[in-house]
Amino acid sequence: MTKTYILPFWNHTKEIDLINRDPKLINEDVIKVEFEDVIAEPDGTHSLDGVWKLSYTTFTVSKYWCYRILSAIFGIPMALLWGFLFACISFCHIWAVVPCIKSCLIESQCISRIYSLCIQTFCDPFFEALGKIFSSVKVALRKEV
């Protein structure tokens, strides 16, 4: 069963999945840290069973609640910060980067046409003449034994 919540901000509504919070799996291999990934006792070096169970419980519960408390305190300010940052990046990209690149492309096309005209005017006839001069040269390879 999927729980969804619709955010009614102005006319922008987006359905949010409250069960699967990483649908694109961007944190699949990075953040998944379990007790066994961090703490392990090899054969021959085991603590008391009670200590091992209590360590597991302590690790799991403290990780769970620490994340909950940190996200409750810093989640909304960080979301605001990241929203602001990506809005600024989008703004710069839309209003500065793309127009600048487009301007450079227009200028480079102009320079390219001038360069092409110079090559066609000066270099093409020169190399064509060299080709005609050396077209009568015949090279013969002989293998002497």
Side-chain angles (χ1 to χ4, degrees), residues 37-134:
D37 298 328
V38 178
I39 300 171
E41 292 180 334
D43 289 337
T45 311
H46 287 183
S47 61
L48 299 171
D49 290 345
V51 171
W52 186 250
K53 288 178 185 177
L54 188 59
S55 297
Y56 173 80
T57 304
T58 304
F59 177 88
T60 306
V61 171
S62 64
K63 183 181 86 162
Y64 176 82
W65 281 107
C66 183
Y67 179 78
R68 287 273 174 128
I69 291 168
L70 287 173
S71 62
I73 295 170
F74 298 111
I76 293 173
M78 291 301 293
L80 181 67
L81 175 76
W82 287 116
F84 180 73
L85 176 71
F86 282 106
C88 290
I89 290 170
S90 297
F91 178 83
C92 288
H93 191 77
I94 291 167
W95 292 100
V97 173
V98 172
C100 184
I101 290 171
K102 195 63 146 174
S103 172
C104 289
L105 287 174
I106 291 169
E107 293 300 322
S108 68
Q109 285 176 350
C110 179
I111 292 169
S112 170
R113 287 184 184 150
I114 293 170
Y115 177 76
S116 178
L117 182 63
C118 290
I119 294 295
Q120 290 172 356
T121 304
F122 301 112
C123 294
D124 283 357
F126 174 73
F127 288 112
E128 205 172 299
L130 282 178
K132 286 182 181 179
I133 290 170
F134 291 112

